[in-house]
Amino acid sequence: MIVKTLPPNSRPIQEDSRNGTNSRGELDVIDVVPEDGTSSLVVRSPRLLAAQKARITAQPETLYDPVGIAAHYQSRKVQVLRRIFAVLGPTLSFVFGLWSDSKRGIVVKNDRRRATQLRVLLTKLGPAYIKIGQALSTRPDLVPPVYLEELTKLQDQLPPFANEIAYQFIKEELGAPPEEVYAELSAQPIAAASLGQVYKGKLKTGEEVAVKVQRPDLREGITIDLYILRNLAAWVQKKVKRVRSDLVGILDELGDRIFEEMDYIHEGENAERFFELYGHIKDVYIPKIYWEYTNRRVLTMEWINGTKLTQTQEISAQGIDARYLIEVGVQCSLRQLLEHGFFHADPHPGNLLATTDGKLAYLDFGMMSEIKPPQRYGLIEAIVHVVNRDFEGLAKDYVKLDFLSPETDLTPIIPAFARVFADAQGASVAELNIKSITDELSALMYEYPFRVPPYYALIIRSLVTLEGIAIYIDPNFKVLSEAYPYVSKRLLTDPAPQLRASLQDLLFKDGRFRWNRLENLLKNARNSQDYDFDLVLNQGIEFLSSERGAFIRDKLVDESVNGLDALGKNILHNFTSLLRERVGLTAVNKTPGATVEQQQNLEHIKRILGILRETRGFDPVQLASQIAQLLVNSDVQRLGQQIANRFTQKAVARLIRQLLAS
């Protein structure tokens, strides 16, 4: 008989209290609440109910509690010291070995023996240090190839623990031994990572599944390392004045995520939420969770046949474009970070697979995080200001994102940003990579009063990890360049007041409309997958006719009048030139054409119209019917009247000036 864990949205059906089954004669669901306040939905089984209650009640806290952990280890100083020496001893020995090799003329970065030693060292030090190695394994721009190859094994090739322990966990979590739960289960784990190991199995209903079982004594090993590192962070934060970032807060954020990762019910919920938000994106695949075979230390999910993204030759042999899948991953990450805020914080190559049908499959939803709307909008604005070299705007973004306090004097920081993003060859800022930007900004943080907010640590980990995979596949891949079309689309279509204000700041300077910026936005937005002409037209008119769009509407009326005026000047200039030169009416004065600035604006408008014609969703026939509908719209009529009135006023004023002058 199997104890089942159901997803949180499942509703228990009515129970028959006589035999512990429901009205259909099946095992029913109850909500067991242990002393720690956590809730677990399990199947009611007369034989296993008492054991299940006892097991959950005895289970340690599933949430990260730094205060509780500190209280626990303050009375265990010997254990803490023993752990400190256990980490320092082999670490210093390894560092001394590298120094000794370099003195003897050995090229350390090409020494496979030392690379293997580093992998083994991190493995022995435990999960917290394994995760550091996993992060480094995605950075070919930081780590030499030999070390990179060894560190990659930390993703899913760690030493497994005994099958007997895994089988015992399955029995304890699911209420029956593996042979009663699964039709098949691989004799050995097919992958072993920092927190658990994975078996390939088959359900009795025939579906192939991956069965993840948690490592034993995991919580104790991680909590002591977090306790030591947290105390070290607090000491550095207090004693080193140049460090202004909340190191303790950053570590607590990481601790929260690791503890959530140790709860497989939470991971299953993350997977389902991830599917709801991003499962519709083209060529993104999220595996199914089998809740009836899942509990806190055992997770059963759909088996994915696929290849790691970094195995480019194997992917190419299948006729799949690895670079395209990275582009898919970047687009998915943009929606995670900038649209919904729920993002995968650990996208290393072991968690991203190219499926046999050419899709990008996400695995392992244990380490997820969220970014709140103000930070999401702040990041979009920062990307826009970086690409457009608006460093004053960028400095203000850093205040909004909580990197700088509101009272900070931005005057010396603005030119510092200009130095960071100035490219000697004059290339676009969008061609810079995230790693180079973060490195340059890290240097600035020592010179100016920057602080790193806790939420930022996992965001940069996610972005830098994804960029590391991208660089491995294509050294010329630029994440910012790939991101800007999506950001442009959001600026043009998102009704959020923050982004409308950002669009206004982007398009207007000193009260003058910048047509070149609009042209650049439309050109980039056209390359976004879900950008559509109808969407922009409808939302644009809705915004311009609303109270929120009053400023841009008024300025746009002025620019439209200027454009019509310039066009009229050119027509009149050409007409009078024709009369003088071809017809011979020399008595007719040649009227001046549009000014240089007006002519440049007209050229921009022509190019913008060309871009719109080439935009997805543009249909002249459909556009004609849309224009007919728009003409009866009261808001559009009011806008047209404003343009006509302003143009008439300008024409009459010019006529009066000419009469007075003559």
Side-chain angles (χ1 to χ4, degrees):
M1 196 172 294
I2 303 170
V3 175
K4 299 182 180 181
T5 303
L6 298 182
N9 294 331
S10 298
R11 180 176 297 175
I13 53 182
Q14 190 174 358
E15 177 195 11
D16 182 345
S17 59
R18 292 170 299 175
N19 57 10
T21 60
N22 57 50
S23 57
R24 296 194 300 270
E26 300 170 345
L27 294 174
D28 199 10
V29 180
I30 63 169
D31 191 4
V32 177
V33 182
E35 290 177 357
D36 63 4
T38 57
S39 177
S40 178
L41 289 167
V42 298
V43 167
R44 181 186 294 278
S45 163
R47 179 170 64 84
L48 295 171
L49 183 55
Q52 181 74 1
K53 278 186 176 180
R55 181 184 63 77
I56 295 178
T57 302
Q59 199 172 40
E61 292 282 348
T62 57
L63 297 177
Y64 174 64
D65 177 16
V67 176
I69 290 172
H72 176 79
Y73 284 111
Q74 277 170 0
S75 59
R76 293 169 172 80
K77 297 189 182 300
V78 174
Q79 184 183 354
V80 173
L81 284 172
R82 191 182 299 124
R83 178 57 181 166
I84 291 172
F85 286 120
V87 172
L88 277 180
T91 302
L92 292 175
S93 176
F94 177 75
V95 171
F96 178 78
L98 293 179
W99 176 80
S100 177
D101 286 349
S102 64
K103 289 296 182 183
R104 289 184 290 141
I106 298 174
V107 182
V108 174
K109 68 177 184 178
N110 297 330
D111 191 346
R112 182 170 295 277
R113 179 176 57 91
R114 291 297 184 189
T116 304
Q117 282 181 359
L118 177 60
R119 173 179 58 80
V120 172
L121 170 63
L122 294 174
T123 302
K124 287 181 178 178
L125 291 180
Y129 297 91
I130 289 170
K131 288 201 167 291
I132 294 173
Q134 288 175 343
L136 289 173
S137 73
T138 63
R139 299 305 310 188
D141 51 337
L142 291 179
V143 181
V146 172
Y147 285 77
L148 199 71
E149 187 179 336
E150 285 295 320
L151 292 177
T152 300
K153 296 176 182 177
L154 295 174
Q155 294 162 10
D156 54 11
Q157 298 178 45
L158 293 170
F161 58 92
N163 280 346
E164 291 77 13
I165 299 174
Y167 295 164
Q168 181 62 31
F169 282 3
I170 291 174
K171 184 177 180 179
E172 290 175 4
E173 296 296 316
L174 304 184
E179 59 270 19
E180 292 183 24
V181 179
Y182 304 102
E184 296 177 12
L185 199 67
S186 58
Q188 298 296 329
I190 49 92
S194 55
L195 303 187
Q197 59 192 34
V198 179
Y199 295 84
K200 184 177 182 180
K202 182 180 286 188
L203 301 180
K204 294 187 184 293
T205 49
E207 297 97 329
E208 285 190 333
V209 293
V211 182
K212 184 157 74 166
V213 185
Q214 195 171 106
R215 287 185 178 274
D217 304 321
L218 188 60
R219 198 173 304 272
E220 180 70 17
I222 285 178
T223 52
I224 193 169
D225 282 338
L226 287 174
Y227 171 73
I228 293 168
L229 291 172
R230 192 175 190 272
N231 279 312
L232 179 62
W235 183 87
V236 170
Q237 197 168 306
K238 183 178 179 181
K239 298 293 184 182
V240 183
K241 299 301 180 185
R242 296 187 70 183
V243 175
R244 289 174 288 267
S245 300
D246 184 4
L247 298 182
V248 173
I250 292 170
L251 200 66
D252 285 345
E253 175 79 9
L254 184 61
D256 281 334
R257 301 291 84 80
I258 291 177
F259 267 65
E260 288 176 356
E261 198 174 359
M262 290 189 285
D263 180 0
Y264 287 169
I265 292 176
H266 188 77
E267 179 173 345
E269 294 168 5
N270 285 342
E272 293 204 330
R273 185 181 175 193
F274 197 85
F275 173 78
E276 289 170 4
L277 294 175
Y278 314 114
H280 67 281
I281 297 176
K282 184 184 177 186
D283 293 326
V284 168
Y285 192 84
I286 295 102
K288 175 185 176 182
I289 302 296
Y290 292 92
W291 284 104
E292 57 269 43
Y293 308 104
T294 293
N295 218 324
R296 296 213 178 274
R297 293 184 295 175
V298 177
L299 174 69
T300 303
M301 68 192 302
E302 178 185 355
W303 178 264
I304 302 294
N305 288 309
T307 310
K308 285 184 184 180
L309 283 186
T310 48
Q311 295 176 321
T312 51
Q313 292 183 347
E314 291 86 341
I315 292 175
S316 297
Q318 299 173 53
I320 299 170
D321 184 357
R323 195 189 192 283
Y324 167 72
L325 292 183
I326 279 294
E327 291 173 7
V328 171
V330 169
Q331 294 303 315
C332 185
S333 291
L334 290 171
R335 281 154 183 79
Q336 291 173 50
L337 291 168
L338 305 179
E339 197 164 321
H340 299 291
F342 182 65
F343 67 96
H344 198 301
D346 195 21
H348 64 69
N351 294 336
L352 295 173
L353 298 181
T355 65
T356 51
D357 58 349
K359 293 184 178 181
L360 177 66
Y362 281 79
L363 307 177
D364 195 345
F365 301 92
M367 186 170 282
M368 311 292 289
S369 191
E370 293 198 56
I371 175 172
K372 296 177 182 177
Q375 281 87 43
R376 298 205 295 267
Y377 295 130
L379 286 172
I380 292 174
E381 292 174 291
I383 292 172
V384 171
H385 291 144
V386 165
V387 172
N388 289 286
R389 297 178 182 269
D390 182 356
F391 303 120
E392 182 179 353
L394 184 63
K396 293 176 182 176
D397 294 334
Y398 269 75
V399 175
K400 293 178 189 175
L401 290 168
D402 204 29
F403 282 81
L404 294 166
S405 61
E407 63 274 8
T408 304
D409 180 14
L410 301 180
T411 308
I413 295 176
I414 294 168
F417 275 139
R419 290 195 301 272
V420 166
F421 295 106
D423 192 6
Q425 276 124 24
S428 166
V429 176
E431 294 180 12
L432 295 171
N433 61 43
I434 292 170
K435 173 64 176 54
S436 65
I437 291 174
T438 52
D439 283 352
E440 294 284 356
L441 290 177
S442 295
L444 275 189
M445 288 183 181
Y446 286 102
E447 190 174 348
Y448 299 100
F450 284 90
R451 60 194 178 197
V452 179
Y455 75 84
Y456 177 75
L458 288 175
I459 293 175
I460 201 64
R461 169 190 164 94
S462 176
L463 283 175
V464 169
T465 301
L466 183 65
E467 186 183 63
I469 301 172
I471 291 172
Y472 187 92
I473 292 171
D474 179 3
N476 296 316
F477 194 97
K478 306 297 180 186
V479 170
L480 267 180
S481 184
E482 294 291 331
Y484 197 57
Y486 169 79
V487 171
S488 300
K489 189 269 296 185
R490 284 290 300 279
L491 272 181
L492 289 168
T493 61
D494 197 309
Q498 298 94 324
L499 294 190
R500 288 304 185 196
S502 183
L503 179 63
Q504 177 180 309
D505 292 341
L506 181 71
L507 296 181
F508 292 93
K509 185 175 184 180
D510 300 327
R512 302 178 70 178
F513 192 84
R514 296 191 281 188
W515 289 100
N516 61 321
R517 290 287 177 87
L518 179 60
E519 181 185 345
N520 187 38
L521 269 182
L522 290 169
K523 190 185 300 181
N524 279 282
R526 182 180 59 187
N527 297 325
S528 182
Q529 293 177 357
D530 52 358
Y531 179 76
D532 188 88
F533 179 81
D534 287 344
L535 180 69
V536 176
L537 182 64
N538 293 331
Q539 290 191 348
I541 289 172
E542 184 275 328
F543 173 68
L544 286 174
S545 60
S546 70
E547 191 175 329
R548 292 176 290 116
F551 176 83
I552 290 184
R553 181 174 64 242
D554 292 343
K555 292 296 180 182
L556 203 58
V557 167
D558 289 339
E559 291 298 328
S560 300
V561 169
N562 289 335
L564 289 172
D565 183 42
L567 193 61
K569 280 184 177 179
N570 282 344
I571 292 172
L572 192 58
H573 172 76
N574 292 336
F575 180 69
T576 54
S577 297
L578 179 69
L579 289 176
R580 285 176 61 84
E581 295 172 11
R582 297 191 181 181
V583 181
L585 295 177
T586 55
V588 176
N589 293 326
K590 185 188 290 187
T591 59
T595 65
V596 174
E597 183 181 352
Q598 287 178 325
Q599 194 62 44
Q600 288 175 343
N601 288 341
L602 283 176
E603 292 300 323
H604 281 302
I605 293 170
K606 287 179 187 177
R607 287 197 291 269
I608 287 169
L609 292 174
I611 291 168
L612 292 175
R613 282 198 300 270
E614 298 169 4
T615 299
R616 189 184 303 107
F618 178 84
D619 183 349
V621 177
Q622 188 176 353
L623 182 61
S625 65
Q626 285 176 322
I627 291 173
Q629 292 175 3
L630 289 172
L631 289 176
V632 298
N633 184 305
S634 59
D635 294 323
V636 174
Q637 288 177 350
R638 188 168 63 251
L639 192 64
Q641 287 171 358
Q642 283 182 315
I643 294 174
N645 290 340
R646 200 78 60 84
F647 184 70
T648 302
Q649 290 172 6
K650 199 164 188 175
V652 170
R654 180 184 295 113
L655 179 62
I656 291 172
R657 281 199 307 270
Q658 288 177 345
L659 288 172
L660 290 173
S662 61

